[in-house]
């Protein structure tokens, strides 16, 4: 959708205004006026960005929204995994299949890999997508640091890989994930990182969990700091939803591509989740249930298959 980045810039500006007026209850008219828009125009843009007409647009964008999510929509990963595809709390509009490099390949720092890359429009601004022949291996957002810095950040993760500027080559992987609801990922990381990233893929959309909960789930309850580092090194942002991890206190924690992006992602997912619950389907607008075989074990050569909601 060509206007998605513009929508995100509007939302980002709204977040900045709300932060500037902490403690004030800004009405829709107040917020729109500060953005030099009519209330109707701002409401329409927000609705287009979210996919529904939200009733609580202001609450979704406030700094304390993560605290409210932790109180109202916290999930334990054990429960999330048990619910799987059968639970109405999940929004089943993205099915992810992934595989990881072997530890030896990871130690080679990308040697022998050909990674194609290109820039795409997204609901969260300029998005860099990178992929191998096996699937998407990187997604980054340039809103905070710019394209050049975002690309350098990602390229440094696999310094020995052959990087090919080929938007057309990676576009089928991007379109499959964003438009068709099926994503193939090629995870390039260490064994502990892979375990953490797998845990992230079990957090339902519209919900959050804590870094300590993830640490417990991967069998290292005292390794909260190491989990936080692994979450921050997630190379496939958004599809592997590291933005759904928050601090136990309700603080947002960090986000590699900037906290405005994390806040926007959580706001959009919460609004869509609430809209789906009101609708009574448990599904995001336009979403359909995945076939039963989606919950089966992955075919040989794949480590796992998980259902995950696209924001």
């Amino acid at each position: 959708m060509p206007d998605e980045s513009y929508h995100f810039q509007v939302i980002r500006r709204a977040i900045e205004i709300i932060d500037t007026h902490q403690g004030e209850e800004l009405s829709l008219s107040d917020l729109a006026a500060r953005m030099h828009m009519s209330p109707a125009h701002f409401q329409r843009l927000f609705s287009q960005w979210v996919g529904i007409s939200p009733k609580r647009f202001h609450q979704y964008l406030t700094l304390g929204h993560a605290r409210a999510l932790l109180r109202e929509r916290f999930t334990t990963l054990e429960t999330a995994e048990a619910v799987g595809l059968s639970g109405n709390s999940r929004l089943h509009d993205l099915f992810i299949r992934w595989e990881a490099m072997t530890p030896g390949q990871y130690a080679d720092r990308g040697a022998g890999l050909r990674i194609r890359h290109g820039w795409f429009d997204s609901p969260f601004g300029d998005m860099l997508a990178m992929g191998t022949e096996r699937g998407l291996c990187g997604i980054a957002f340039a809103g905070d640091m710019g394209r050049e810095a975002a690309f350098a950040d990602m390229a440094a993760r696999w310094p020995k890989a052959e990087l090919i500027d080929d938007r057309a080559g990676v576009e089928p992987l991007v379109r499959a994930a964003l438009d068709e609801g099926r994503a193939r990922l090629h995870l390039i990381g260490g064994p502990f990182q892979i375990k953490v990233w797998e845990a992230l893929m079990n957090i339902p959309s519209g919900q959050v969990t804590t870094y300590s909960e993830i640490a417990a789930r991967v069998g290292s309850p005292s390794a909260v700091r190491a989990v936080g580092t692994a979450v921050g090194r997630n190379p496939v942002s958004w599809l592997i939803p590291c933005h759904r991890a928050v601090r136990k206190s309700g603080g947002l924690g960090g986000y590699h591509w900037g906290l405005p992006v994390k806040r926007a992602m959580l706001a959009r997912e919460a609004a869509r989740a609430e809209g789906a619950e009101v609708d009574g389907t448990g599904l995001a607008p336009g979403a359909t249930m995945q076939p039963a075989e989606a919950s089966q074990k992955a075919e040989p050569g794949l480590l796992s298959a998980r259902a995950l909601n696209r924001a």
Side-chain angles (χ1 to χ4, degrees):
M1 186 182 296
D3 293 330
E4 283 188 320
S5 287
Y6 169 67
H7 291 163
F8 171 68
Q9 294 307 322
V10 171
I11 298 305
R12 182 170 180 153
R13 176 65 181 140
I15 288 173
E16 291 172 352
I17 291 172
I18 289 171
D19 286 355
T20 302
H21 296 80
Q22 282 295 320
E24 294 182 37
E25 282 295 328
L26 294 178
S27 68
L28 174 63
S29 297
D30 292 334
L31 186 56
R34 285 172 169 80
M35 299 181 70
H36 308 291
M37 293 181 177
S38 71
H41 183 51
F42 176 74
Q43 174 79 12
R44 184 165 61 251
L45 285 177
F46 195 105
S47 299
Q48 289 171 346
W49 181 71
V50 172
I52 60 170
S53 179
K55 295 181 179 179
R56 300 189 303 151
F57 71 95
H58 182 276
Q59 290 95 321
Y60 295 130
L61 299 180
T62 58
L63 190 58
H65 182 231
R67 210 168 276 115
L69 283 175
L70 196 60
R71 183 176 62 250
E72 301 167 11
R73 292 182 175 271
F74 171 75
T75 184
T76 67
L77 294 178
E78 184 175 2
T79 299
E81 187 168 317
V83 169
L85 286 173
S86 63
N88 287 335
S89 62
R90 298 184 76 112
L91 309 181
H92 315 263
D93 61 353
L94 182 62
F95 181 68
I96 286 188
R97 172 182 289 173
W98 61 270
E99 61 179 299
M101 296 185 72
T102 67
Q105 290 173 319
Y106 172 64
D108 285 340
R109 306 181 73 191
L113 274 181
R114 302 183 74 191
I115 299 178
R116 303 180 186 280
H117 58 85
W119 289 94
F120 297 85
D121 191 42
S122 87
F124 310 106
D126 241 2
M127 182 182 80
L128 172 66
M130 308 178 80
T132 69
E133 62 182 11
R134 297 182 181 181
L136 287 168
C137 64
I139 287 182
F141 295 95
D144 257 27
M145 62 179 68
R147 283 190 173 193
E148 185 175 343
F151 178 78
D153 183 297
M154 296 300 290
R157 302 175 189 228
W158 315 294
K160 295 184 179 180
E162 179 186 0
L163 301 179
I164 304 168
D165 187 355
D166 182 8
R167 187 183 188 278
V170 76
E171 185 169 18
L173 293 170
V174 174
R175 292 300 160 218
L178 272 58
D179 301 337
E180 300 169 19
R182 290 188 174 272
R184 286 190 295 119
L185 305 185
H186 188 195
L187 302 187
I188 306 173
F192 183 76
Q193 291 174 323
I194 298 293
K195 287 174 68 176
V196 170
W197 300 340
E198 182 180 14
L200 290 171
M201 286 190 277
N202 281 296
I203 307 172
S205 182
Q207 299 187 27
V208 295
T209 197
T210 62
Y211 296 102
S212 55
E213 173 68 21
I214 296 170
R217 188 60 184 158
V218 301
S220 303
S222 62
V224 177
R225 187 182 296 269
V227 163
T229 300
V231 169
R233 293 296 293 172
N234 166 30
V236 191
S237 299
W238 187 18
L239 297 184
I240 298 178
C242 53
H243 58 281
R244 297 176 193 160
V246 299
R247 290 176 177 159
K248 192 180 286 188
S249 64
L252 281 169
Y255 192 67
H256 194 78
W257 308 113
L259 285 178
V261 176
K262 181 172 186 173
R263 288 172 63 181
M265 287 178 172
L266 291 174
R268 190 170 189 262
E269 290 182 350
R272 286 167 63 89
E274 183 172 291
E277 289 166 1
V278 170
D279 181 56
T281 64
L283 299 174
T288 56
M289 285 292 221
Q290 293 294 330
E293 62 264 22
S295 63
Q296 300 301 309
K297 289 291 185 180
E299 60 191 57
L302 300 181
L303 293 183
S304 183
R306 299 288 182 201
L308 177 70
N309 178 59
R310 174 161 49 91

